[in-house]
Amino acid sequence: VHFATGVSPQDFWIFAFLGLVYPLFLLGNVVFALVWLLTKTKLLSLISVVALIITYKSNMATFQISIPAKTTDEISLMTWNVKNFDLYNWSGNKETRSKMFELLKENRPNILCLQEFYTEDKGTFKNLKDLKKELDYKYVYFAKTYTLNKNRHWGLVIFSDNKIIDTGKLLFKEGTLLNSCMYADIALSKTQNIRLYNVHLQSNQLNTEDMQLFETLDEAPKKTKSSIFSVVSKMKKGYINRSKQTHQVLESKADSPYPAIIVGDFNDVPISYAYKQLSKGMQDAYVKKGNGFSQTFANKIPYLRIDYALFHSMFKINKYEVIEAELSDHYPVMVKFKY
């Protein structure tokens, strides 16, 4: 755990891969502890119990059981990587965009943060204009990272019921144009302002063939070996770039005049350098009020939590929920909190 979270991938990237298999380590220790307790070798269970105690903080970030609280005057916040609202029809369903809009209307949060956001000035995908109108948001900040033909725009966006008093954008020095960070200073009340970061860290840029690799490991060994090297190379680059991007976010956060909230797609698991650094001194909403492994990446691996909502200690987390709607390759994360 220490090597995966405490050593920067810039210094030694191989340790970063350990975080991907940590949930298996956690489950293995739980199973062994229970099995040994039911046999004559009960003392052996202490090995697994001690291992679980030593790594309890990492265990809490990986698996949780909690009961949501409900109070008045809650603020709801949603973060979601919307994958361009299915611009390229990757889902094979032309109704996906409208279904995503319906989900947002049904769960309409006070603050909405979207990654991989796409909008057009003219055309079918006027997402910025349509969402502001249909969800009736008073304030919006769209941080463009790429524009094509002066009409098509990609980036990050924050919609808010509360007044946005200042904004900023961090263009990462490393990685692609589609990965960046933005922030908005929001007035929650006349006396309380916050700085909200909407983050999209470097992806591993694995394509469909890469994701299917481990389903066909016994086929065409030479091709499989080549594919594994390709996947490892992409992931190595992703880990290194995320570590650099993480420090850019932290430098900005250190200069913030207000308590911070950091949400978005980190493209990394809880047992990782990026998560460890960004969550220092912060509350992970999942750790406070989450349940199970809280998978946020919609694929066949059941424990990939790569989307987060981190809060300054002044906030009280009342509810954390992952909405399992397979409309993007990420699930929306909804948090309700107070201050």
Side-chain angles (χ1 to χ4, degrees):
V1 173
H2 170 74
F3 293 123
T5 61
V7 178
S8 171
Q10 297 177 66
D11 298 326
F12 199 74
W13 57 271
I14 292 177
F15 287 147
F17 286 87
L18 298 176
L20 290 173
V21 296
Y22 185 80
L24 301 179
F25 163 83
L26 172 58
L27 285 173
N29 273 297
V30 171
V31 170
F32 280 121
L34 293 174
V35 169
W36 280 329
L37 280 172
L38 297 174
T39 66
K40 294 180 179 180
T41 54
K42 289 181 174 60
L43 285 177
L44 288 177
S45 65
L46 288 175
I47 298 173
S48 292
V49 171
V50 170
L52 291 170
I53 292 173
I54 292 173
T55 58
Y56 79 97
K57 286 187 177 180
S58 296
N59 299 337
M60 289 175 66
T62 304
F63 188 87
Q64 272 294 329
I65 298 175
S66 64
I67 300 173
K70 188 174 183 180
T71 60
T72 56
D73 302 321
E74 289 180 324
I75 299 171
S76 56
L77 181 152
M78 179 187 287
T79 175
W80 191 11
N81 181 323
V82 292
K83 200 173 183 180
N84 303 315
F85 281 103
D86 203 33
L87 172 64
Y88 304 110
N89 194 30
W90 69 272
S91 68
N93 186 345
K94 293 181 179 180
E95 295 181 2
T96 297
R97 177 181 178 269
S98 62
K99 288 182 179 179
M100 295 175 84
F101 273 53
E102 287 174 14
L103 183 148
L104 291 171
K105 288 178 185 177
E106 290 174 6
N107 297 276
R108 197 231 184 249
N110 299 120
I111 302 172
L112 175 63
C113 300
L114 302 177
Q115 304 90 43
E116 285 196 42
F117 184 79
Y118 170 79
T119 191
E120 299 170 348
D121 298 327
K122 298 178 182 179
T124 306
F125 283 77
K126 298 190 296 293
N127 296 320
L128 189 66
K129 182 179 179 181
D130 291 346
L131 278 176
K132 186 177 180 183
K133 180 180 179 181
E134 293 187 31
L135 274 69
D136 192 27
Y137 281 111
K138 291 183 179 180
Y139 305 97
V140 59
Y141 171 45
F142 176 38
K144 299 176 186 177
T145 56
Y146 181 68
T147 296
L148 182 64
N149 299 328
K150 297 182 180 180
N151 175 56
R152 307 176 65 193
H153 313 285
W154 286 261
L156 301 163
V157 68
I158 294 175
F159 295 92
S160 176
D161 289 332
N162 299 80
K163 186 177 181 179
I164 295 177
I165 57 177
D166 197 8
T167 60
K169 179 168 63 174
L170 302 178
L171 292 178
F172 292 140
K173 299 172 185 176
E174 304 288 341
T176 69
L177 287 173
L178 297 179
N179 298 104
S180 62
C181 172
M182 66 183 294
Y183 67 81
D185 292 340
I186 299 175
L188 295 184
S189 68
K190 291 181 179 180
T191 59
Q192 184 61 64
N193 298 331
I194 62 164
R195 175 160 291 183
L196 173 64
Y197 286 90
N198 185 11
V199 179
H200 186 199
L201 297 184
Q202 180 69 44
S203 70
N204 291 315
Q205 296 184 305
L206 301 181
N207 55 35
T208 303
E209 184 178 344
D210 293 330
M211 296 300 289
Q212 294 175 342
L213 170 65
F214 297 101
E215 297 177 13
T216 57
L217 285 176
D218 58 340
E219 299 176 13
K222 289 185 179 179
K223 183 179 179 181
T224 298
K225 185 177 180 180
S226 174
S227 298
I228 289 175
F229 278 118
S230 174
V231 169
V232 170
S233 177
K234 289 179 181 179
M235 293 184 71
K236 172 188 174 182
K237 185 177 180 180
Y239 283 125
I240 292 173
N241 284 343
R242 283 193 294 275
S243 68
K244 295 177 180 179
Q245 294 166 0
T246 292
H247 286 290
Q248 276 189 254
V249 177
L250 291 175
E251 287 172 9
S252 174
K253 175 174 171 279
D255 293 332
S256 171
Y258 309 120
I261 298 175
I262 304 175
V263 305
D265 175 8
F266 293 6
N267 270 308
D268 228 332
V269 293
I271 311 303
S272 66
Y273 182 80
Y275 171 83
K276 178 73 172 181
Q277 297 302 312
L278 290 171
S279 62
K280 278 183 180 178
M282 303 284 280
Q283 300 181 86
D284 184 339
Y286 160 77
V287 173
K288 290 293 182 179
K289 290 294 175 182
N291 280 294
F293 284 111
S294 189
Q295 176 183 359
T296 67
F297 187 59
N299 75 349
K300 294 181 179 180
I301 302 176
Y303 56 74
L304 284 185
R305 182 167 77 98
I306 61 175
D307 302 87
Y308 301 89
L310 309 175
F311 289 76
H312 186 278
S313 59
M314 68 169 283
F315 298 105
K316 179 186 177 184
I317 312 302
N318 288 338
K319 185 177 180 180
Y320 170 95
E321 178 186 10
V322 174
I323 303 171
E324 295 185 2
E326 295 189 7
L327 300 171
S328 166
D329 56 348
H330 292 249
Y331 296 133
V333 173
M334 176 77 91
V335 179
K336 292 185 179 179
F337 67 98
K338 286 193 68 174
Y339 65 95

